[in-house]
Amino acid sequence: MRLSKYYIPTLKEDPADAEVMSHKLLMRAGMIRKLTSGIYNYLPLGLRSINKVSQIVREEMDRAGAMEVLLPMVQPADLWEETGRWDFYGKELLRLNDRHGRNYCLGPTHEEVITDLVRGEIKSYKQLPVNLYQIQTKFRDEIRPRFGLMRGREFIMKDAYSFDKDEEGAEKSYFEMFEAYKAAFSRIGLRFKPVQADSGQIGGDFSHEFMVLADTGEDTIASCKSCDFGANLEKAKVRLPEGVCHCDETNIPAMEEVDTPGAHTVEEVCEFLNIKPSKLVKTLLFIIDGEPVAALVRGDREINDVKLRNLVGGNDIELADEETVKKVTGAPVGFAGPAGLDKDVPIYADRELCLGTDWVAGANKGDTHVKHLSLGRDCKVTKFDDLRVIEPTDPCPECGAEIEFTKGIEVGHVFKLGLKYSEKMEATFLDENGKAKPMVMGCYGIGVSRIVASAIEQNHDENGCCFPPSIAPFEVALISLGGKDQDVADKAEELYAEIMKLGVDAAYDDRKERPGVKFAEADLIGYPMQLVLGGKGLKNGIIEAKDRKSGEKTELPLDGFAEAFSAWRKEIWSKWGLELD
Ligand code: ATP
Ligand code: MG
C-alpha cells in the first residue's frame, strides 16, 4: 500500500474525551473515529488490525472443529421471552419495533437465536456434538461506554456455542475452547492469564475469563506468586482459616446493650466503643429472589455477594432497601445484628467468625449495639461458609503462598451453560435409547475489537503504538527519503515490489513529506518494522532497519535484500515470542 494514496487521518492532539492510552492512540493514529457515544467508525488502518485479530481467532476456532455461521443481528422478542431474558436483561438490551409494532432487539449475545436454530435442525445424538461460532457486531447499551474500543456500545465479538449430548461431552467441548483461546491469544502476542470466574448455578470450574494484564484494566484479579492460581475477585475462594471454633463457648459474659448514638458505620462504632473493626460483626441484609437474608462478616472484611447468592442458591441479589431493613430489624439502617432478628430471616456467616467470640454487633434497635455476643449462644446461624472478598494479605487458596492483586482487561470468556437455555427452549435430541433429552451447552466469547485496544494498552511508548507484528495494520513501513533524488525513489519502488513478492504487507511511504514527519507518523501508528532508505544508504548499499518496540537499529544490505530482510523479520517476530507461519 502506498501512503500517497491511503487515508490515514492522524491527529496532533489527544482527543479531549480520551482517558486511556489505547483510546488516545487509536484516534491519533487515524484508526477509528467516534460517531456517537460508544459507537465508532473503523477506518482503514483500524479495520486491518481488527481483521487480523478476527482471522487468527477464526483459524483457531476452525482448528478446534467449530463451524462459522453468521446469525442475524436483529432478534425477535419472542425468543427472549421464552428464556425470560426479555425482562431480565434490562436496559443493556436495545429494543426496537418494526412497522407492524412487533418487538425486536439488537443482539447483545446470541444464546436464544442459536438455540432456536439448533433445536430446529438437530434431532439425534448422532448429530452431536456441534460447535457453531460467528464473528459479528454486537450491541449493548452499556451504562458507561468509555475507553474507546474497550467498552463500546457497538463492538465486534466472536461468539461460539457448543451443544453436546451429555456432561462429559460438554466438559470436553469446554476445554477444547479453553485451549483454542490460549492458542489464539498467544498468536496475537498478548500477555494474558486465564482466571477462574463465577459460574453461578452451574458450579464447578466451568467459567474462565481470559485477562490481558494491564494497569488500566477495569477488573482486579487475584493471582498466586508461586502457583498457577488466578481468579477474579468475586470468584476467588478464601483459604479456610485454621483454628478452634469458639461459637459454642459459654464462658463469656452475658450479652449486653450499649448506647451508640449516631454510630452507623463500622468506623463510627469502633471509635465510639474504642475497639478494633476485627472485634465487630457486620450484618448486611440482602434480598435474594424476593426474600430477605442476613449475612455476617467481620467488621474489617467485605461481603462477597456472589458467594452469598450461590450459597443461598438464588438468581437475583440486591442489598435490602431502608424500608425492608426497618421491617426485618425494627431499627434504622446501621443497627442490624444477628441477635433478635426476625426469626424467619436466615443468617449466613463468614466462617472466619467461628474463630472468635465476644463480638460487638448491632442490637436491632436505633442508636444501640450489643457487647459480648456469642454466635452460638445468642442467635441461630443457618450456615457458616466462605462469604467474604479475598484480600491481598490472604494466602493463595490453592497452595497457601503469597498472592497479589493485578489489573486486567477481560478479552475472552468461556462458560459452561449446562441446560439453562436448552431446557427453557426445549432444545432436545433423541439419545441412544430413543429418549428425548435437553442438549448440554457451552458459550464462548472473545472481544475482537477490545483486543486491538488491549494490545495497545500493553504495547506503547511516548511516541505511539508498538503493535505486535501479528495484528499490526501493516507489518512493515518502508520509508523513502528520496526527496528529489530519483535514484532513491526508483530503488524504493524496487524494494517495495520485493517486499510485496515475499507476501509481507508493507506501508510504503512514497509521499513528499519531510523525513521527520514520516518518522513520527510511523512511530505513532506503530508498524513493528521500519525500513528507511536515503541517499547515503543507497550509495553505501544499505537500508536502515528499526525495531519499533525496542528502538534497535540495524543495517540490511541492498544486495541480497530479500534474504536479509526475511531473516531480520523472523528475528523481530521471535522477539515477540511469535512464530512466523
Ligand atoms: P464485561 O464484564 O467487560 O462487561 P461481559 O462479561 O459482559 O464483559 P461477555 O458477555 O462474556 O462479556 O462477552 C464476551 C467478550 O466480549 C468479553 O470477554 C469482552 O472481551 C467483550 N466485550 C463485552 N462487552 C464489551 C463492550 N462493551 N465493548 C467491547 N467489548 C466487549
Ligand atoms: Mg458486560
Side-chain angles (χ1 to χ4, degrees), residues 25 28 460-465 519-526 546 548:
L25 290 175
R28 285 188 40 210
H460 65 263
D461 61 17
E462 64 283 3
N463 298 323
C465 310
F519 295 147
E521 203 179 284
D523 277 355
L524 173 64
I525 292 162
K546 180 173 121 177
R548 169 67 182 91

Side-chain angles (χ1 to χ4, degrees), residues 92 140 142 151 450:
E92 258 187 44
R140 293 183 182 178
E142 297 274 354
R151 183 168 298 283
R450 183 182 280 185

Side-chain angles (χ1 to χ4, degrees), residues 75-82 86 103-105:
Q75 310 185 3
D78 324 4
L79 286 181
W80 287 71
E81 270 155 10
E82 280 189 51
W86 186 253
N103 292 322
Y104 295 84
C105 65

Side-chain angles (χ1 to χ4, degrees), residues 280-333:
L280 190 116
V281 170
K282 187 156 70 177
T283 308
L284 291 143
L285 286 163
F286 288 90
I287 303 292
I288 301 183
D289 295 346
E291 297 295 326
V293 166
L296 315 181
V297 280
R298 231 168 62 177
D300 55 338
R301 307 296 197 191
E302 288 306 317
I303 184 95
N304 182 327
D305 54 2
V306 173
K307 288 181 181 174
L308 177 67
R309 185 200 61 196
N310 290 345
L311 179 65
V312 175
N315 263 322
D316 204 15
I317 180 163
E318 55 183 358
L319 261 180
D321 55 22
E322 251 174 77
E323 209 176 300
T324 315
V325 172
K326 261 194 190 146
K327 211 172 104 202
V328 174
T329 67
V333 173

Side-chain angles (χ1 to χ4, degrees), residues 38 89 92 108-109 111 138-142 144-146 148-159 181 185 208-210 218-219 409-415 443-451 454:
Y89 212 93
E92 258 187 44
T109 175
E111 283 83 4
K138 298 278 186 264
F139 195 94
R140 293 183 182 178
D141 203 355
E142 297 274 354
R144 279 188 76 198
R146 56 189 186 146
L149 297 191
M150 204 73 92
R151 183 168 298 283
R153 294 199 292 165
E154 198 178 289
F155 58 97
I156 299 175
M157 198 206 278
K158 185 287 302 178
D159 45 329
Y181 274 39
F185 296 135
H208 285 86
E209 288 166 354
F210 285 78
E218 290 183 282
D219 293 296
I409 303 164
E410 182 194 321
V411 290
H413 193 179
V414 290
F415 198 95
C443 69
Y444 317 94
I446 289 184
V448 171
S449 43
R450 183 182 280 185
I451 283 177
S454 316

